[in-house]
Amino acid sequence: MFDSLPAMALLLLAFGLGAGGVALIARRRLQAQRRRFKLLIADRQHFAAFADLTSDYLGIDTVDTEGRCTFSWGNQAMRSLLDSTRINLQQGGALESVSHPDDRETVRGHLKEMLQNRPQRFRARIITATEDVRWIEAHALPFRMDSQSPVSSILYTASDITDQVDREHSHKEDKARFKNLIEQVPAIIYVANDDESHQTVYISPQIEQMMGYTPEEWLEDPDLWSRCIHPDDRDDVLNAYKKTLDQGQPFAREYRVRTRDGELRWVRDEATPVMCEGECADCVVCIQGVVLDITARRLAELATQERERQLRAFFNADAMMMGVTEVKNESQRFIIVNDRLATFFKHPRKAIEGKTSVELGIAQAMRTLWLQNYNACAHTGKPVRFEYQSEATKHWLAATICEIEQRECGAIRFAIIVEDVTQQKIDEEQLQLLNRELNHRVKNNLAKIHALATRIAGNSDTLLDFNNNFLSLVKAMCRTTGIVAPRSRRSAYAARVLHLALEDLVISRGLTINADDTQLDEKQVFTLTLFAHELGVNAVKHGALTTPNGRVVVRAQRIESAEGQRFELYWREENGPPVTTPTKLGFGAELIQQLARTDLHGKLDTQYNSSGFSCTLTFPLTLPQEPTDDAPPKVVVTLPIVNTSLDA
């Protein structure tokens, strides 16, 4: 109230005080002011000393009536920053003077706001006395004398936040790199809530490429994930996910999903629960996971499984016994066997695989034989094949061994193929027997032809006569050989045999053959050929076929008797020259008698009637007489025959 000494003196005089009283009061007032000034000076010194202890920048700028700022006070940090040899402090405020050129306009903008009595907080770069660029965060507070007066000073503090800004920049760069990494990996990254709603709170952009949905669509629809799961996989996946939420266990499943356009894809979903810290350590905060598109891998696996299934089917369906064995030292162990080999051992496959030959009870001699061939295969590096006879089944087996792998433990694995060649052995023995039989028959036939040739020569008047008779017989034998040789059952039909035996003898002559489908064995075919040929030769040279009206009737059929099925051949000549009973049998008569009794083990009845020669031949049948697809019907053949070619 009494801030000035003159005012106080006038007041004292007004109250009637003397000059001495006024002087006393003035002196006391002056002493009080001095004490306050000293206290103020002391407080300012204390504040300055305290301000010098902080590393933050503290300062005061005064503002003149034209709004220009001038630095008036600063702590030690500010004074060090404001190097007077570098900055003219009269040109502006402290912060404006040291601000970075790129931030100076920003600082000026904040100063303008402060002149409007608006406190400011901002960041800017400054240049220190050592030419270093530092980041500061400034807090500025404008002061004025009263609410009506303009801002007269600005108090500010500034902290060096260079390290913080560097960390923020580094964090931003790391965040940008992490985001770029997440968005570039060929997988979906997601974060989901810890409840059964499966609400996704973050999902990477790859969701659109893999599933056809944008991240926004996926985040807005909590049920979209479960709807995309294939119905056959949905329950298993959701139950496993619930277990992850309840027990905090990792989640991992491979399942099928349906994309937006209906395409079916295979994915592998792996997620880890993020647990709370502190008192609720067992609680799940969220689920962090990654989803990989494994469609190509699964298709490849399915294709591989299908190939393995086909190979296994071939492995088991093949007629040969196959497997894989492992040999180490003298131990032989079965690794894999197919069903055929298991059947041979009379054990299930699972009971054989993993067992040694000793455990399976294989004889020592057989184990030694196989071991010798294993060693030979390993030594030469080439497949080894050998044959042996099984002591148990007496079957002949052919085994092939091929080395497929040498293991680090010293064991060697071999692929084995075992084939039952018993039938082949039987066929080889039969072939050898047939070869011996063929040699024997060839010798017999040659001997028979030699004997026939000798006897035909003795009964032929001329060389031409011998040539015709002998050539006709050989042709007939060749034809019947042609119909027997191609047949696996080594048989022929009687009608065909008679036709071929006689066709070369009767040219433009009458011959009737009435025969059924009786089957004759190979020996009967050749014997009946000789028999019919001899009768035909006799009819042509001496019998009914020597006259223009002569004819021969042949009837051949199968008959039933008490002795079983027999074959009957009836031969009758008509309209020929008169016939008388011979007193002595000629070559032809002796031959047919010998063929009937010795070769066919049958009976022959001959009749020399005046009307013509006739005979009846019967002999037992050796082949079962069953109808076959290629059996001819009952035939009646009437010649003359025009085609007499040997190959007809």
Side-chain angles (χ1 to χ4, degrees):
M1 180 178 178
F2 303 106
D3 291 335
S4 63
L5 188 59
M8 185 180 293
L10 292 175
L11 181 60
L12 291 174
L13 289 174
F15 281 93
L17 296 177
V22 173
L24 178 62
I25 293 174
R27 198 167 42 250
R28 290 179 178 176
R29 177 66 176 171
L30 182 58
Q31 290 174 354
Q33 287 181 348
R34 286 177 178 176
R35 283 195 299 271
R36 287 197 299 270
F37 182 73
K38 287 179 179 181
L39 291 174
L40 180 61
I41 295 298
D43 291 341
R44 183 172 181 178
Q45 290 175 348
H46 291 159
F47 175 76
F50 176 76
D52 288 340
L53 294 177
T54 180
S55 59
D56 290 347
Y57 305 115
L58 303 177
I60 299 175
D61 284 351
T62 58
V63 183
D64 60 16
T65 56
E66 296 181 1
R68 290 177 296 187
C69 296
T70 303
F71 174 73
S72 61
W73 176 85
N75 67 348
Q76 179 62 41
M78 179 60 76
R79 292 194 301 271
S80 299
L81 178 63
L82 300 175
D83 184 4
S84 59
T85 61
R86 182 172 62 93
I87 302 173
N88 184 358
L89 298 181
Q90 304 302 321
Q91 297 298 321
L95 293 181
E96 183 181 356
S97 300
V98 297
S99 61
H100 192 280
D102 294 342
D103 295 344
R104 192 159 294 162
E105 288 299 325
T106 301
V107 174
R108 288 173 182 169
H110 288 292
L111 288 175
K112 290 179 180 179
E113 292 294 323
M114 286 185 284
L115 292 177
Q116 301 298 322
N117 196 33
R118 299 187 184 100
Q120 297 292 304
R121 180 176 179 177
F122 59 92
R123 289 183 175 186
R125 287 168 292 178
I126 62 172
I127 300 176
T128 66
T130 58
E131 299 297 329
D132 293 333
V133 177
R134 308 292 292 180
W135 277 92
I136 63 168
E137 184 174 43
H139 298 261
L141 183 64
F143 284 92
R144 57 184 180 176
M145 299 301 295
D146 53 49
S147 60
Q148 301 300 322
S149 60
V151 174
S152 60
S153 61
I154 299 174
L155 172 65
Y156 53 84
T157 65
S159 302
D160 190 329
I161 60 169
T162 304
D163 293 341
Q164 178 183 344
V165 171
D166 290 342
R167 287 194 300 271
E168 290 175 355
H169 287 173
S170 177
H171 178 68
K172 288 181 180 179
E173 292 175 357
D174 291 343
K175 187 176 181 180
R177 284 194 295 267
F178 181 69
K179 181 180 179 182
N180 183 65
L181 175 64
I182 289 179
E183 294 181 355
Q184 293 299 322
V185 295
I188 298 173
I189 311 296
Y190 68 90
V191 179
N193 282 336
D194 61 336
D195 52 31
E196 296 184 3
S197 67
H198 319 303
Q199 176 66 53
T200 305
V201 296
Y202 169 78
I203 195 158
S204 60
Q206 288 87 337
I207 186 68
E208 186 169 4
Q209 179 181 357
M210 186 182 299
M211 298 295 296
Y213 297 97
T214 64
E216 294 75 18
E217 291 174 323
W218 197 269
L219 296 176
E220 290 173 359
D221 190 348
D223 298 328
L224 185 54
W225 173 58
S226 60
R227 291 202 308 271
C228 289
I229 301 175
H230 192 281
D232 295 343
D233 301 337
R234 187 175 296 144
D235 290 342
D236 176 67
V237 174
L238 296 181
N239 290 335
Y241 191 81
K242 185 178 184 300
K243 190 175 182 180
T244 297
L245 295 174
D246 295 341
Q247 304 178 11
Q249 296 180 354
F251 170 81
R253 279 293 185 276
E254 292 183 0
Y255 55 90
R256 292 162 291 178
V257 294
R258 187 76 65 179
T259 64
R260 186 171 204 157
D261 58 3
E263 181 183 359
L264 192 65
R265 289 176 177 264
W266 276 93
V267 298
R268 178 170 182 80
D269 192 346
E270 295 188 16
T272 302
V274 179
M275 311 302 293
C276 286
E277 297 181 356
E279 297 180 357
C280 191
D282 294 335
C283 298
V284 177
V285 177
C286 64
I287 304 293
Q288 296 177 344
V290 58
V291 179
L292 296 171
D293 186 342
I294 60 170
T295 305
R297 193 202 79 192
R298 287 290 295 190
L299 292 178
E301 289 176 353
L302 293 175
T304 301
Q305 293 173 3
E306 178 61 19
R307 287 194 296 270
E308 290 178 353
R309 186 194 65 78
Q310 293 175 354
L311 288 174
R312 173 63 71 175
F314 168 77
F315 188 63
N316 288 323
D318 195 272
M320 294 180 290
M321 297 170 277
M322 295 187 289
V324 176
T325 59
E326 184 176 275
V327 178
K328 184 178 181 181
N329 299 329
E330 295 185 359
S331 174
Q332 309 166 43
R333 185 180 304 276
F334 290 89
I335 307 301
I336 302 174
V337 297
N338 69 347
D339 293 338
R340 292 278 298 177
L341 190 54
T343 302
F344 178 79
F345 279 114
K346 299 180 179 180
H347 291 295
R349 269 194 316 113
K350 297 300 182 181
I352 299 174
E353 294 175 346
K355 298 292 183 65
T356 64
S357 55
V358 175
E359 293 171 334
L360 293 174
I362 299 177
Q364 176 63 43
M366 193 61 60
R367 298 201 305 269
T368 302
L369 174 65
W370 275 85
L371 188 61
Q372 291 173 350
N373 286 278
Y374 282 133
N375 293 333
C377 179
H379 178 71
T380 62
K382 297 179 179 179
V384 173
R385 178 182 171 88
F386 61 98
E387 294 182 357
Y388 64 96
Q389 189 174 22
S390 170
E391 295 181 359
T393 63
K394 302 304 179 183
H395 283 205
W396 277 95
L397 305 174
T400 302
I401 299 175
C402 180
E403 180 182 334
I404 58 175
E405 181 185 7
Q406 291 190 1
R407 313 200 71 186
E408 295 181 356
C409 61
I412 303 177
R413 288 192 172 181
F414 297 89
I416 62 171
I417 300 176
V418 182
E419 183 180 3
D420 190 334
V421 295
T422 305
Q423 187 59 45
Q424 181 179 337
K425 285 287 186 180
I426 294 174
D427 293 342
E428 290 176 356
E429 293 177 358
Q430 289 181 347
L431 181 61
Q432 294 175 359
L433 178 63
L434 289 175
N435 286 333
R436 291 194 297 269
E437 182 183 354
L438 179 61
N439 291 332
H440 176 71
R441 290 192 179 191
V442 168
K443 290 178 181 179
N444 288 344
N445 287 336
L446 290 176
K448 186 178 296 185
I449 291 175
H450 179 267
L452 291 173
T454 302
R455 300 187 69 173
I456 291 174
N459 289 274
S460 299
D461 297 333
T462 64
L463 181 60
L464 180 61
D465 190 21
F466 167 79
N467 180 69
N468 291 336
N469 293 335
F470 183 71
L471 184 59
S472 174
L473 176 62
V474 171
K475 284 182 178 181
M477 294 179 66
C478 289
R479 288 193 184 95
T480 53
T481 301
I483 64 172
V484 172
R487 293 175 174 266
S488 59
R489 58 179 177 269
R490 308 177 69 80
S491 64
Y493 297 106
R496 182 66 172 158
V497 173
L498 294 172
H499 182 278
L500 294 176
L502 298 172
E503 69 173 345
D504 199 43
L505 293 173
V506 285
I507 303 175
S508 300
R509 297 179 175 90
L511 174 65
T512 300
I513 301 175
N514 188 334
D516 61 10
D517 60 350
T518 301
Q519 296 184 59
L520 306 176
D521 65 24
E522 184 179 8
K523 183 177 180 180
Q524 292 169 344
V525 167
F526 283 109
T527 305
L528 186 60
T529 299
L530 294 177
F531 186 91
H533 182 271
E534 184 60 32
L535 291 177
V537 170
N538 184 75
V540 170
K541 293 180 62 176
H542 309 291
L545 297 182
T546 60
T547 63
N549 296 323
R551 59 190 299 267
V552 175
V553 176
V554 180
R555 184 179 71 250
Q557 61 184 353
R558 183 172 60 252
I559 61 175
E560 298 289 341
S561 67
E563 301 173 355
Q565 290 186 332
R566 299 177 68 84
F567 179 75
E568 180 183 77
L569 172 68
Y570 175 71
W571 179 285
R572 187 180 77 251
E573 299 181 12
E574 299 175 352
N575 302 328
V579 177
T580 59
T581 302
T583 58
K584 181 181 178 181
L585 295 178
F587 165 72
E590 289 181 355
L591 178 60
I592 60 176
Q593 289 288 349
Q594 180 181 352
L595 293 175
R597 292 192 307 270
T598 306
D599 292 8
L600 296 176
H601 306 289
K603 297 179 181 179
L604 177 63
D605 180 20
T606 57
Q607 299 289 332
Y608 295 91
N609 299 322
S610 58
S611 59
F613 172 79
S614 66
C615 69
T616 303
L617 169 68
T618 60
F619 59 86
L621 295 173
T622 59
L623 295 179
Q625 303 299 312
E626 298 178 357
T628 58
D629 294 338
D630 58 346
K634 184 176 181 180
V635 295
V636 176
V637 180
T638 302
L639 301 175
I641 298 172
V642 219
N643 185 357
T644 60
S645 170
L646 182 62
D647 298 328

